[in-house]
Structures are given as C-alpha cells and as structure tokens.
Amino acid sequence: MTNMPARLSTLEREISALTEKLSPCGGDEVGKCIASLMDAGMMIPASIQAADPIEEYRIALKVVPIHGLRTVFVKLKRGEYDLPNRSFLPIPSEMAAFALAECRSLREERMRASEMIKAARENAEFGSPTMSRFGLKDLRVTHQERARALAGHGYVKVADGINQQMFGSLAKSRGLPAGSVLLWAIDEVWAPEAVARYVDLSRVESSKRMAAPEREMLSPERAAELEKMLALPDAKDIRAEQMAYRSLVENEVAAVKGDEEVSHAA
C-alpha cells in the first residue's frame, strides 16, 4: 500500500500527542491547580488535618496525567461533579481518582493506535494464519491474544458487546470496574479480578443496555441488498474500522436471515 508510510506517521504523531497528555503533571502543577481553586472560593475539607494540606494534594496527584488534572480543574470550577458540597475540594485520593478516570479514553485511544501500527507493520505476513481475507493482520486475533495475556495477569472479562462509544459512556457514569480495558476489535471489557469481584456484574449489564445506542432492525429487503453488497470484492486498502463495520453488518444480516428461517419453520 503506497500510503502506508503516511498512515504510520499519522498514527505515531497521534501516539506522541496522547503520551504528552498522559505524562505526569508534577507537584508544581498540582500546587498551582489547588491554589487557583481556592482563589475561586473552594475550601480544603475539614477532614484533612495536615499542617500543609496542599502538600497532601501534591503527594496524591503529582503522578496523575496532566490532562486528567486539568480536566478535573475545569470541571470542579464548573460544578460538573456530583459532590456532597461543591464549596469544598474533593479529598486528595478522590481527586486523583477523578483525574485517572478522565484519562481512560485517552489510554484506550493510544492503545488502539499502537495496535494499528503493529498490525500495519505485520501486513506483509500474508502466509500467516492470523491474516484476514483483507490481506491485513486481523485485529480481532490480536485482541483475542491480548485477552489471553490479560487473563494471565489476573484480569477477568466483565462485559461483552461493548463498543467504543458505549465504553466511553459507561466509564463516565462509573458503570465499569476501575482499571477496565476495552478490547474494541472483539467488543470485550476486561478488568482486574481483585476489583471485579466486588462489582455487581448484573449492574454492568444494566448499564450496558442503558448506554447502548438504539439501532433500527434491518428489514428483509434491506438485508438482501446488504448481502449482495457484502458479496462484492473488497478494496485492497481497507482500514480496521471498516473491517469492524463490515463484521457488524454481516452479523445484522445473519440475524435477519435467522429470524426468517425460524418464521418459515413455524
């Protein structure tokens, strides 16, 4: 593919930008943030008894990503967090948790870009059994391998059928265990077992249904049209997102055909 170097360069720039946003903010940045929030009228919680309360925030927040700290700073000023009393700052550990949660989607984006680079560099391995019919390494296989690796590191699958949009919604609403990882090519979410064991997974399923966008069921006529389109030869240069969308359409067409077979059998 003649545009491969350009695509790799774009992905590498994307990873560099995301890595910069995910770099630790440092104690000085934390001190400025807390001082500015206090200047805006927010107060240190009475539960913090340390002689230097701002130092407690520096200790807790200096390693969180700069993007997370700055996002929390803006949201606190706007009153966007559901706090018992918006006149008071969250305690240091809670503020650190907010900052880390705000960076979850960036980590997923960086991971996705890294995996796309890896797959692009391996697309010369046409004889490999992990190659898809598109001539590219199938990222679904890559994510299945990663799922096995996560299982070996104490992770468990907590949800499936989760796409990136749903994962973002669930992460914002705290509908997933802390530290959850989205394997977007296979629509699975994995989380550390030590955290997942304390989470009611039935609530995860309920949250998943609430976050799922409504999709109109295909008519038999539309399914027949799409089936003809799917039978056409694929382009030589097809992106992972296109592969994933094709798989989604194939599943929807198969679901319609399955319903028709059940109806005829009845």
Side-chain angles (χ1 to χ4, degrees), residues 111-240:
M111 187 180 304
R112 174 175 170 272
S114 297
E115 289 173 349
M116 290 182 72
I117 286 177
K118 180 181 177 182
R121 287 174 175 166
E122 292 174 346
N123 68 359
E125 302 173 7
F126 288 104
S128 169
T130 61
M131 289 299 127
S132 72
R133 56 197 168 92
F134 307 109
L136 295 172
K137 184 169 184 180
D138 194 335
L139 288 176
R140 289 168 295 188
V141 175
T142 301
H143 279 194
Q144 288 164 359
E145 293 170 352
R146 184 145 188 267
R148 289 192 288 271
L150 287 171
H153 286 87
Y155 279 66
V156 294
K157 185 172 72 172
V158 296
D160 53 21
I162 302 286
N163 59 29
Q164 289 176 301
Q165 180 181 352
M166 293 166 61
F167 183 81
S169 298
L170 291 170
K172 288 181 181 178
S173 64
R174 300 186 184 182
L176 292 170
S180 294
V181 174
L182 171 67
L183 302 181
W184 56 270
I186 55 177
D187 295 338
E188 293 181 358
V189 176
W190 289 67
E193 184 177 10
V195 177
R197 71 176 62 176
Y198 298 108
V199 176
D200 183 355
L201 296 184
S202 65
R203 293 182 59 189
V204 175
E205 286 298 313
S206 176
S207 298
K208 182 179 79 171
R209 289 192 294 271
M210 293 177 64
E214 292 292 331
R215 292 187 61 86
E216 184 178 351
M217 184 65 180
L218 291 178
S219 67
E221 295 77 14
R222 179 57 178 163
E225 291 176 5
L226 290 174
E227 189 172 18
K228 291 178 181 177
M229 294 171 62
L230 291 170
L232 295 173
D234 295 305
K236 293 182 179 179
D237 185 4
I238 184 167
R239 299 192 305 273

Side-chain angles (χ1 to χ4, degrees), residues 8-187:
L8 289 175
S9 178
T10 299
L11 288 169
E12 287 167 352
R13 286 197 301 271
E14 180 182 341
I15 290 173
S16 295
L18 291 169
T19 299
E20 184 175 352
K21 289 182 178 181
L22 292 170
S23 61
C25 57
D28 291 343
E29 187 79 16
V30 174
K32 292 176 184 177
C33 171
I34 300 301
S36 180
L37 289 170
M38 293 175 68
D39 289 343
M42 298 191 76
M43 296 178 285
I44 299 290
S47 59
I48 300 178
Q49 301 294 321
D52 185 357
I54 294 181
E55 183 61 23
E56 297 299 311
Y57 283 93
R58 287 196 184 99
I59 293 171
L61 295 167
K62 65 182 180 181
V63 296
V64 303
I66 187 134
H67 170 81
L69 179 69
R70 291 176 177 173
T71 303
V72 169
F73 171 80
V74 171
K75 288 190 173 184
L76 285 173
K77 276 202 165 185
R78 293 176 178 172
E80 294 183 18
Y81 288 115
D82 185 15
L83 300 174
N85 189 334
R86 291 186 174 86
S87 298
F88 290 91
L89 288 164
I91 62 174
S93 59
E94 187 175 21
M95 196 164 171
F98 286 163
L100 292 172
E102 295 293 350
C103 294
R104 185 176 295 170
S105 61
L106 296 188
R107 291 194 184 93
E108 292 297 329
E109 287 177 24
R110 185 172 65 176
M111 187 180 304
R112 174 175 170 272
S114 297
E115 289 173 349
M116 290 182 72
I117 286 177
K118 180 181 177 182
R121 287 174 175 166
E122 292 174 346
N123 68 359
E125 302 173 7
F126 288 104
S128 169
T130 61
M131 289 299 127
S132 72
R133 56 197 168 92
F134 307 109
L136 295 172
K137 184 169 184 180
D138 194 335
L139 288 176
R140 289 168 295 188
V141 175
T142 301
H143 279 194
Q144 288 164 359
E145 293 170 352
R146 184 145 188 267
R148 289 192 288 271
L150 287 171
H153 286 87
Y155 279 66
V156 294
K157 185 172 72 172
V158 296
D160 53 21
I162 302 286
N163 59 29
Q164 289 176 301
Q165 180 181 352
M166 293 166 61
F167 183 81
S169 298
L170 291 170
K172 288 181 181 178
S173 64
R174 300 186 184 182
L176 292 170
S180 294
V181 174
L182 171 67
L183 302 181
W184 56 270
I186 55 177
D187 295 338

